[in-house]
Amino acid sequence: LADHRRLDLFASHLNREFALENLLAFIEFVQFRQYFQKIYFGEECNNQTTEIKGLQIRLDFGEHVLESEIVFQTIEFDEDAAAMMEKQTVLYNFKKIAYLLYLRYIRENGELEVNISSQQRADFNVLMQRESHWLSGIQ
């Protein structure tokens, strides 16, 4: 996905198949993971390869890719402010973001519900069915 021409072709294909939400979900989930690693663990993740199910995949979306509104605009804090926050507060903020991603892509009848197995959806529903319960489970 580091080749922008291929990304555009893939997006066009998904659009024709009425499945563009899969690419949007993938981009938002990867951006969430990279941002979490950067803020919480202090790891720079841009332009790195990531292992997904045993495969090394380069996840560089370039400078002009859509930026996740949920990931980058839901919680207003910059990297310097996050460095001063307690880990629990940072984790709480990221759990809020994860919950919003769940509402958009995983929950049944979500705005951009993706096709996943019924068992996976049920597992996420149990984990996140009540926002207050999900957010209170900081570990």
Side-chain angles (χ1 to χ4, degrees), residues 61-72:
F61 298 117
E63 296 177 25
H64 303 291
V65 74
L66 295 173
E67 189 173 88
S68 169
E69 179 182 293
I70 290 177
V71 174
F72 295 108

Side-chain angles (χ1 to χ4, degrees), residues 23-120:
L23 181 59
L24 297 174
F26 181 76
I27 290 172
E28 285 201 284
F29 290 143
V30 168
Q31 288 178 352
F32 172 79
R33 178 181 178 182
Q34 289 177 338
Y35 194 51
F36 179 76
Q37 287 177 320
K38 183 177 184 178
I39 299 296
Y40 194 76
F41 295 111
E43 298 174 6
E44 189 63 48
C45 298
N46 295 329
N47 302 322
Q48 293 184 356
T49 58
T50 299
E51 185 172 323
I52 299 176
K53 295 199 175 209
L55 298 173
Q56 291 293 322
I57 299 175
R58 185 165 173 233
L59 298 173
D60 173 16
F61 298 117
E63 296 177 25
H64 303 291
V65 74
L66 295 173
E67 189 173 88
S68 169
E69 179 182 293
I70 290 177
V71 174
F72 295 108
Q73 297 175 12
T74 300
I75 307 299
E76 294 294 330
F77 59 66
D78 60 27
E79 294 169 36
D80 295 330
M84 303 300 284
M85 290 180 193
E86 290 185 27
K87 289 282 190 184
Q88 294 288 62
T89 303
V90 173
L91 186 57
Y92 180 86
N93 288 336
F94 275 100
K95 287 187 84 165
K96 281 184 181 179
I97 295 169
Y99 186 76
L100 293 173
L101 290 171
Y102 158 77
L103 293 177
R104 178 177 279 177
Y105 295 110
I106 306 298
R107 185 183 66 175
E108 191 171 342
N109 298 317
E111 174 187 0
L112 295 171
E113 180 185 348
V114 294
N115 186 19
I116 60 174
S117 74
S118 59
Q119 183 59 55
Q120 286 176 315

